[in-house]
Amino acid sequence: MAEHFRTVKEKQCLEEKGNHSQSKVYLDYNATTPPSAEVVEVVAEALREAWGNPSSSYNAGCKAKELIDEARAHIARMVGGQPEDIIFTSGGTEANNMILFSAVENFYMTAKESQNKSADNALPHIITSNVEHDSIALPLHHLQRAQRAEVTFVPVSAKTGRVEVNDVVAALRPNTCLISIMLANNETGVIMPLGELSECLALISQERTSQGLPQVLLHTDAAQALGKIGVDVQELGVNYLTIVGHKFYGPRIGALYVRGIGHQTPLLPMLHGGGQERNFRPGTENTPMIAGLGKAAELVSLHCAEYENHMKGVRDYLEQKLQVVFGNRIRFNSHFPGTARLPNTCNVSLLRPLVSGREWLSHCHYLQASVGAACHSDRGDSCSPVLLSSGVPPEAARGAIRLSVGRETSRENVDLIVADLEQAAQRLENKDTNKGDLKN
């Protein structure tokens, strides 16, 4: 069936192109995206024309301030917020840490003023899922070890791949101050039910307020979702939302949405300095990168539906071809019945004993992809904790690779890499056969 599906043209394409860098097909867009041409142009112009200090009154400084204000407005529009709710950060890790530590410190500050004696001597309690990015999970483990906070890691469902609202609500305690759940998982593409969760919290918050209990703030890390699906903070009902530029063809900086910053939602600075970003994130602003981030956000606002439709079409074509070529030799780890997922993400395993996803990729000539999150690349052939937590059997998790398509990925790219993956699998099989012959 595989030979029937592959055309003569595809075979010739593999034979003629050779192993040259220009024929590589990049399918790791969940790890990072190349900056768009429009973004590069805006960054270059800002470097030339807006090199002044944004706090200065001369022309270059005024130009820098103007670009920053414009970028803030574009980013707010992208997520459905207000410009005054946007704070620029160095990236997603800083934004996530800022939220976690703000929630903890705010709990201690407000506990002194609380009339509820049950909160006395209680540690702040944070709820998250067991499939979060390390920039959430590791700071929370640190807070636990330092006995600064209590943390509940709610497991995702093996049936749906997502964290269930009822499980999160069941984890609430009188001292709960923050819930942090990613909007979409970076390995499976599963979209979490943030809107449903915020609706439940709105009802619960009324009762908690009457009891003098602390407000439960809601945060989502939207790094993987932005630029792939529509994201609206009003619909999600979140207090905080993390924005990461290099995930949607922008520069490698980030931003943070905070609803009603400083009065509806607390935010405490991790740094202290010159007062920039209204003292929430001091330090002279990185004007060129901020301008680039704004341009990337503007493109998302204008073309998100177009991007989403294109990526879904190519991703679905990729999975159809993989199914026809490999049949029961593969398993799709990102398929959970009834669960929404990102339009660009496919997590698939080669079901061969003792073959890891990393080995499968290493035998490909053209495909550039990963076995999971880029920040976990040092884990060797160990199984992905995210896949195991999502109910993927260990033997399948070990042979998994993540294929994430982008705005420019074509069906011709897919034809090439599916053939490449099949030939890589054949090389592995031949390698095993040769080993067996040598033993005999």
Side-chain angles (χ1 to χ4, degrees), residues 189-238:
V190 164
I191 298 172
M192 303 296 177
L194 266 297
E196 299 172 40
L197 178 57
S198 68
E199 288 179 7
C200 287
L201 282 180
L203 298 174
I204 293 170
S205 293
Q206 296 176 6
E207 183 179 349
R208 287 176 64 95
T209 300
S210 66
Q211 297 172 358
L213 296 175
Q215 177 187 8
V216 180
L217 303 165
L218 181 59
H219 164 244
T220 190
D221 182 345
Q224 288 297 334
L226 288 165
K228 300 168 188 171
I229 59 173
V231 175
D232 189 307
V233 292
Q234 308 306 324
E235 294 178 1
L236 294 174
V238 294

Side-chain angles (χ1 to χ4, degrees), residues 159-205:
K159 292 183 179 180
T160 65
R162 68 180 203 169
V163 64
E164 297 298 336
V165 172
N166 289 341
D167 293 336
V168 175
V169 171
L172 285 169
R173 302 177 188 174
N175 56 325
T176 303
C177 63
L178 178 71
I179 297 173
S180 178
I181 304 290
M182 60 172 36
L183 186 50
N185 186 264
N186 53 320
E187 293 191 39
T188 63
V190 164
I191 298 172
M192 303 296 177
L194 266 297
E196 299 172 40
L197 178 57
S198 68
E199 288 179 7
C200 287
L201 282 180
L203 298 174
I204 293 170
S205 293

Side-chain angles (χ1 to χ4, degrees), residues 363-410:
H363 283 73
C364 290
H365 289 325
Y366 307 98
L367 174 62
Q368 293 180 323
S370 66
V371 296
C375 55
H376 295 162
S377 59
D378 60 344
R379 290 181 177 173
D381 290 336
S382 60
C383 295
S384 161
V386 168
L387 294 184
L388 295 176
S389 297
S390 301
V392 177
E395 59 273 17
R398 188 171 187 273
I401 61 174
R402 180 186 67 183
L403 306 175
S404 48
V405 307
R407 297 175 188 173
E408 307 300 326
T409 308
S410 67

Side-chain angles (χ1 to χ4, degrees), residues 307-318 342-344 405:
Y307 297 152
E308 181 177 357
N309 290 336
H310 171 76
M311 288 187 285
K312 185 177 186 304
V314 174
R315 192 275 312 277
D316 289 350
Y317 178 70
L318 166 64
L342 294 174
N344 78 317
V405 307

Side-chain angles (χ1 to χ4, degrees), residues 107-108 110-124 174-175 212-214:
F107 178 91
Y108 284 117
T110 55
K112 295 178 182 178
E113 306 167 5
S114 173
Q115 301 300 313
N116 191 297
K117 296 300 181 183
S118 64
D120 289 349
N121 301 318
L123 292 176
N175 56 325
L213 296 175

Side-chain angles (χ1 to χ4, degrees), residues 110-164:
T110 55
K112 295 178 182 178
E113 306 167 5
S114 173
Q115 301 300 313
N116 191 297
K117 296 300 181 183
S118 64
D120 289 349
N121 301 318
L123 292 176
H125 175 238
I126 297 174
I127 299 172
T128 190
S129 81
N130 67 338
V131 294
E132 297 294 317
H133 189 269
D134 276 353
S135 60
I136 290 291
L138 295 183
L140 288 177
H141 284 305
H142 167 76
L143 287 167
Q144 277 185 311
R145 289 192 301 269
Q147 297 184 343
R148 291 285 293 167
E150 298 173 341
V151 183
T152 298
F153 292 89
V154 176
V156 296
S157 165
K159 292 183 179 180
T160 65
R162 68 180 203 169
V163 64
E164 297 298 336

Side-chain angles (χ1 to χ4, degrees), residues 8-35:
V8 173
K9 184 178 179 181
E10 289 171 28
K11 287 184 177 180
Q12 291 174 341
C13 185
L14 279 172
E15 293 169 357
E16 293 173 2
K17 283 196 172 183
N19 192 16
H20 301 300
S21 60
Q22 61 265 32
S23 62
K24 297 291 186 182
V25 177
Y26 181 76
L27 290 187
D28 205 16
Y29 289 92
N30 281 6
T32 197
T33 56

